[in-house]
Amino acid sequence: MTLEIAVTHWLESLEARNVKPLTYRRYKGVICAFRDFIGPETYMGKITRTQVEDFFRIRNGRHPATKALEIGILKQFLDYCIANAWLQLSPAASLPIPRWRVAERKP
């Protein structure tokens, strides 16, 4: 199974679940950027943890909350691939999610 085909199936599954349009655009944007970075013809089993880390490294400069959301989206996609037996282990399984502090509001 290539990354391109897996992405297509996952996006179709999102549409079938009737996710909100804004959510769909966000998920699609992250996964398509990942696909383009890795290469659409890459086989799912060939994706490495290093490639995942490099993908997020080039997306540096984003707010930690945005980065956490994007890591969550990628993990959901990879979990979907595992559930469909296209991947045995997630290369993002132990990827740390950024933490941040919410600034206190002044009265």
Side-chain angles (χ1 to χ4, degrees):
M1 173 71 64
T2 65
L3 182 55
E4 177 69 30
I5 294 169
V7 166
T8 301
H9 282 281
W10 189 64
L11 293 174
E12 288 172 356
S13 78
L14 291 178
E15 289 176 341
R17 290 181 8 217
N18 293 322
V19 297
K20 293 181 180 179
L22 183 61
T23 301
Y24 180 83
R25 277 195 310 271
R26 166 64 102 180
Y27 282 32
K28 182 179 180 181
V30 172
I31 294 305
C32 288
F34 180 72
R35 177 203 59 206
D36 295 343
F37 176 77
I38 300 295
E41 297 305 314
T42 302
Y43 284 97
M44 292 302 300
K46 299 291 184 182
I47 299 171
T48 66
R49 164 115 182 183
T50 303
Q51 289 174 308
V52 172
E53 289 171 343
D54 289 346
F55 172 70
F56 286 109
R57 195 171 295 116
I58 66 159
R59 295 172 74 82
N60 199 12
R62 298 184 187 290
H63 188 276
T66 302
K67 190 172 180 180
L69 176 67
E70 291 179 350
I71 289 171
I73 291 168
L74 182 61
K75 284 183 174 186
Q76 284 182 44
F77 168 69
L78 294 172
D79 287 346
Y80 175 83
C81 293
I82 290 169
N84 284 285
W86 303 330
L87 192 60
Q88 288 184 338
L89 297 171
S90 173
S94 60
L95 198 65
I97 295 184
R99 296 179 178 251
W100 69 95
R101 288 184 173 214
V102 177
E104 290 186 28
R105 293 185 181 193
K106 295 180 180 179

